Amino acid sequence: MGSNINLFKLCSALRVLGYFMILLFAAIVALSYYAVVLITWGPLLFHSPLRLPSFFSAFFVLLLFHILLILLTWSYIMVVLNDPGSVPHNWRHHQQQQLRSDFNLETAPPTPSPAYCSRCQNGKPPRCHHCSICQRCVLKMDHHCIWVVNCVGARNYKYFLLFLLYTFLETTLDCLALVPSFIRFFGGNKNHSLSPGGFAVIFLASILNLAFALSLLCFVVMHISLLLSNTTSVEVHEKKKGVRWMYDLGWKRNFEQVFGTKKALWLFPLFSKEDLENIPALRGIDFPTRSDVDV
C-alpha cells in the first residue's frame, strides 16, 4: 500500500516544540530571578544597608544580573521576531533580465544558471538554503533553532550570537552568585535564613544554570570560530579542505559582515542605517568574495 506522507511537512511539527521552548526559557529566567534576586542577594541589599561590604557586593551582583538579563531578553526577542531573510519573489527571473540587459542577446556570453529550489519554485541566491521546518528558502541560513521558533540567517544572525553570549554570561553569573548560599547552608551557619523550600529553588536554579552554561560554552566557541571565518553551520560541510573559504575576507571584515562597522552598536541587537545600506551581506543577497579565489 503506497504512502503519500510528506516527510518535509512533518518537520513543521517541530514548530510546536519551539513554542514550548519559549515557555521553558521564560520559566528558567523566572526561576533564576527568584533564586538570585528575591532569595539570595535582594535581602542583603534591602535588609542590611549598614553593612557596607554586603551592601556593595549585593548592589554589584544585582546590577550586573539585571544588565545581562535585559540584554539577553532584548536579543532573544529580536531573534524570535526578526525574519532571517527570504528570497525576493521571482528572484531568478530578475537576475536573468539583468544579465540580458547588459549584453546583446546575439553576442551575450553563456552564463551559468543560478541555483534553483524545486520546492520553493524560485531561484536561490548564494549561501541560501531551504529550511524544511519553515518550508522556505532562507538567506545565508545557519540553522533552524527550536529555542527561538525561527531560522537563524543573514538578517538575525547577530541577534542570535548576542543571545548566546549574554545567556552564557548570565547563567555563569547565576551559578557563581548562588555559591555563597550553598556555603552558608552546608557550612552549618545557624544564621542562614534559607527555608527548605528556598534551598530547593536555589538548588534547582543552580543545576539548570550550570547545565546551560556548560552547553552554551561549546556553542559560543563554535560560533565565534564560524564568525571569524565567515562560515555558517551549513557551509562547514561545503568547504573544501586545504582551500581557503572564498567568503573569508579576514577576521575583521568577517566580523563586520555580521555585526556592522559601528562599534557603539556591536553589543546591542541593532544596526545603523548606514551599515544596512552599505554592507550587502547584512541584506543576505550579495556577498563579497576573496579576489584570488575562483568562483
Side-chain angles (χ1 to χ4, degrees), residues 129-257:
H129 293 83
H130 187 89
C131 176
S132 299
I133 299 175
C134 294
Q135 294 292 304
R136 61 170 178 158
C137 283
V138 176
L139 300 178
K140 194 189 174 186
M141 178 179 174
D142 188 88
H143 69 289
H144 184 94
C145 181
I146 60 174
W147 282 96
V148 302
V149 203
N150 200 1
C151 268
V152 177
R155 300 179 185 177
N156 65 356
Y157 187 46
K158 175 186 177 180
Y159 311 147
F160 175 76
L161 293 181
L162 290 177
F163 168 63
L164 277 186
L165 175 63
Y166 290 134
T167 305
F168 168 70
L169 295 176
E170 179 79 327
T171 52
T172 301
L173 174 65
D174 292 351
C175 291
L176 296 176
L178 295 175
V179 168
S181 297
F182 283 98
I183 294 176
R184 289 193 297 268
F185 189 85
F186 289 109
N189 189 340
K190 297 181 180 180
N191 294 325
H192 74 78
S193 58
L194 277 180
S195 64
F199 177 77
V201 170
I202 289 177
F203 179 78
L204 180 58
S206 299
I207 295 298
L208 290 174
N209 278 280
L210 179 60
F212 274 96
L214 292 177
S215 61
L216 284 171
L217 177 60
C218 300
F219 282 103
V220 169
V221 172
M222 181 189 76
H223 278 283
I224 289 177
S225 175
L226 294 176
L227 170 67
L228 297 182
S229 62
N230 204 350
T231 311
T232 66
S233 299
V234 175
E235 291 169 343
V236 168
H237 305 287
E238 299 177 357
K239 294 170 66 174
K240 296 180 180 180
K241 294 183 179 180
V243 178
R244 185 170 177 182
W245 184 233
M246 64 180 176
Y247 297 112
D248 187 356
L249 310 176
W251 69 268
K252 184 176 184 294
R253 291 191 62 190
N254 293 341
F255 183 88
E256 292 175 348
Q257 293 285 299

